[in-house]
Amino acid sequence: MTTMLWAVAIGMTITAVWRFPAVRHGDPMQRALWACSAAFASTVWCRVPQVKQALDNSHVTDLSALLKYLTSLVAILAALRYITAVYGEPSEGSDRHIAMSRRISHVAHTYALAAMVVQVVLFFTVVDRSHPSTDFADAQAGQWGGALFLTIQYTYLGVAAATCCYQWARAARRAEKRALRIGLALMATAMAIYTIYPVLRTVTTWIPPEVSALTMRTVADSVNMVVACLWAVGASVPSTMALSARWNAWRSLQKLRPLWSDLMNAFPHLALQRPGARITESLRFTPSLDVRLDRRIQEIAGGIEQLRHHASPDLLSVAEDLAESHDDPEAAAEAYWIRAAQQSQKSGRRSAVPSRKLREKPLTSVTAEANWLARVAALPVPPNLVGIMHERAGEPPVDLVLQMVGRGQAADASRAGSGRVKGPTGRPARG
């Protein structure tokens, strides 16, 4: 049990630290999630034997119990604020269940401070704390002071948890995204347990059962660990899916970089930002990954459109014929066509009339487009294959102006390289 308490406490703490930036930059919903995670983590830490012993051996007997109940009250209040923040700002057309949740949340938060003050007063005045207890609730069973203290706590938690459970279960049934539906269902289950548990504990506080304090402590720890785990997993499922989406977007950016870089160097007027060093682009945080991926796909599409002026009318048919024996013929044909057109562009060949467009593909999302272009970019195209395509399909006529521009750019690059100060190894020295 001790190992499980440590694991849950550390896990909840990591979740709270992970969500800490929301305190400053997040919306009310994200801040409420952080507050709930942090308070739940504090509650579980108060149950860890080593922490509990250190707190109880202080000048205040059973200090761990007081902190545990106060932090759990904060956690459930944050959870209640989260469920109301999910629906945004109130409006005249809000459903009855939303209005009811807001009313309960408002009342709960209004009297929260008073409830905490009353509990602290009861704790230091009428609660019997002559000896440290193994399980606070069991030690106070049958004593009116401790029973009243716990009744306030359990009533507050039970009502708030029931409200959260109802709203999250209702929201889970209507959620469109699977990740959000799973997360809300897990959090609703946690709140269902926290609705039933306070009722049972209130009864056992006024009518003590004939079981040992160790048994009651084990039951209490087990319930709180299950609730904490369900909450942590439920709150993290949508975030984990979002993190996975960011990771996939970053990988797509890296896969598309070679193709994008070649096209943007050939047609720099299409790029909002010229290609830079790979490590510099990897460490860039703005704009967001999904925006950068969408922009990169659009720029690649613009570059491919420009390549139509550098491809002969028969190039696509020849590329498709050569790709028939490939494992991925459609992607291979497009990769062959792009590479051959790029070679013609570098050679200064251009036609005033563009060749026909590439085959239309049923791509309905940015992810699908990125996956398709990644397949195309990953296919190697041997130089001899490019030569075969040009022999069969021919090339556009030579554009003298384009050829001169290309030679001028190459000469400028050569002069720039030779004009740099050389380092001891012969490489250009860094400024």
Side-chain angles (χ1 to χ4, degrees):
M1 185 62 69
T2 301
T3 303
M4 287 295 297
L5 281 171
W6 273 100
V8 173
I10 293 173
M12 291 298 298
T13 302
I14 292 174
T15 302
V17 172
W18 177 27
R19 293 187 175 278
F20 184 75
V23 176
R24 182 176 180 181
H25 303 290
D27 53 23
M29 185 170 63
Q30 296 298 325
R31 287 195 292 270
L33 273 177
W34 171 82
C36 193
S37 300
F40 261 133
S42 301
T43 300
V44 179
W45 276 115
C46 290
R47 290 180 172 274
V48 173
Q50 291 82 351
V51 178
K52 181 181 185 302
Q53 184 178 4
L55 292 173
D56 291 344
N57 289 336
S58 65
H59 298 293
V60 180
T61 305
D62 285 341
L63 177 61
S64 64
L66 177 63
L67 295 178
K68 176 186 68 178
Y69 287 119
L70 292 180
T71 53
S72 64
L73 190 59
V74 172
I76 204 67
L77 285 170
L80 195 56
R81 185 176 293 277
Y82 171 80
I83 191 58
T84 56
V86 168
Y87 295 101
E89 295 297 328
S91 60
E92 296 181 358
S94 298
D95 293 338
R96 181 179 299 179
H97 68 94
I98 298 177
M100 181 63 68
S101 294
R102 291 188 181 280
R103 193 174 300 114
I104 293 174
S105 178
H106 178 72
V107 173
H109 283 83
T110 300
Y111 294 100
L113 181 60
M116 291 182 181
V117 171
V118 170
Q119 283 186 296
V120 172
V121 171
L122 290 174
F123 184 83
F124 285 101
T125 55
V126 298
V127 173
D128 182 12
R129 297 182 296 109
S130 55
H131 302 286
S133 60
T134 303
D135 182 85
F136 181 82
D138 181 74
Q140 299 300 322
Q143 302 183 27
W144 75 269
L148 181 59
F149 173 92
L150 293 171
T151 299
I152 295 173
Q153 177 76 17
Y154 291 141
T155 300
Y156 214 96
L157 293 182
V159 172
T163 304
C164 291
C165 176
Y166 171 71
Q167 292 293 355
W168 285 337
R170 186 185 182 94
R173 290 195 302 268
R174 298 187 175 189
E176 296 181 358
K177 295 183 178 180
R178 183 179 181 183
L180 182 59
R181 186 163 58 249
I182 294 173
L184 288 171
L186 290 174
M187 289 191 289
T189 303
M191 292 302 102
I193 296 174
Y194 245 5
T195 301
I196 300 172
Y197 174 73
V199 176
L200 298 178
R201 288 295 272 178
T202 302
V203 173
T204 58
T205 298
W206 290 99
I207 307 174
E210 296 181 359
V211 294
S212 64
L214 181 60
T215 300
M216 294 301 296
R217 175 67 185 277
T218 302
V219 172
D221 288 342
S222 300
V223 170
N224 281 277
M225 281 194 299
V226 171
V227 170
C229 288
L230 288 173
W231 166 262
V233 175
S236 299
V237 165
S239 300
T240 303
M241 297 299 291
L243 185 63
S244 176
R246 293 191 188 100
W247 168 250
N248 290 332
W250 184 86
R251 289 184 61 193
S252 297
L253 279 172
Q254 301 307 309
K255 291 178 181 179
L256 297 181
R257 189 184 186 281
L259 176 60
W260 170 77
S261 180
D262 288 345
L263 292 173
M264 293 308 100
N265 286 327
F267 310 106
H269 63 282
L270 297 177
L272 292 178
Q273 190 168 12
R274 293 294 299 275
R278 183 183 292 270
I279 187 170
T280 303
E281 293 182 1
S282 299
L283 296 176
R284 188 179 299 159
F285 295 100
T286 55
S288 60
L289 284 170
D290 54 341
V291 172
R292 276 185 281 163
L293 181 59
D294 183 64
R295 179 190 298 173
R296 183 159 294 186
I297 290 173
Q298 292 181 21
E299 290 174 345
I300 290 175
I304 292 175
E305 182 68 20
Q306 291 294 317
L307 286 178
R308 291 174 57 200
H309 288 277
H310 304 277
S312 63
D314 297 330
L315 182 60
L316 182 57
S317 299
V318 172
E320 290 175 342
D321 291 339
L322 292 174
E324 284 183 354
S325 59
H326 197 277
D327 295 336
D328 192 357
E330 294 181 357
E334 190 160 318
Y336 294 168
W337 183 92
I338 291 173
R339 185 61 62 193
Q342 284 180 316
Q343 185 61 44
S344 296
Q345 187 270 335
K346 292 177 182 178
S347 301
R349 294 178 175 274
R350 188 181 189 279
S351 175
V353 180
S355 61
R356 63 191 179 96
K357 292 184 178 181
L358 297 175
R359 305 289 184 186
E360 294 290 338
K361 292 163 286 293
L363 304 176
T364 58
S365 66
V366 173
T367 301
E369 292 183 50
N371 291 337
W372 167 257
L373 290 175
R375 285 165 56 188
V376 174
L379 290 174
V381 183
N384 62 324
L385 189 59
V386 175
I388 293 173
M389 285 190 286
H390 284 163
E391 289 178 4
R392 296 184 182 181
E395 290 187 84
V398 174
D399 188 325
L400 296 178
V401 176
L402 181 62
Q403 203 171 53
M404 290 298 295
V405 170
R407 290 176 181 175
Q409 290 175 347
D412 291 341
S414 177
R415 285 195 296 270
S418 61
R420 292 179 184 174
V421 178
K422 303 293 184 178
T425 61
R427 297 181 180 179
R430 296 183 180 179

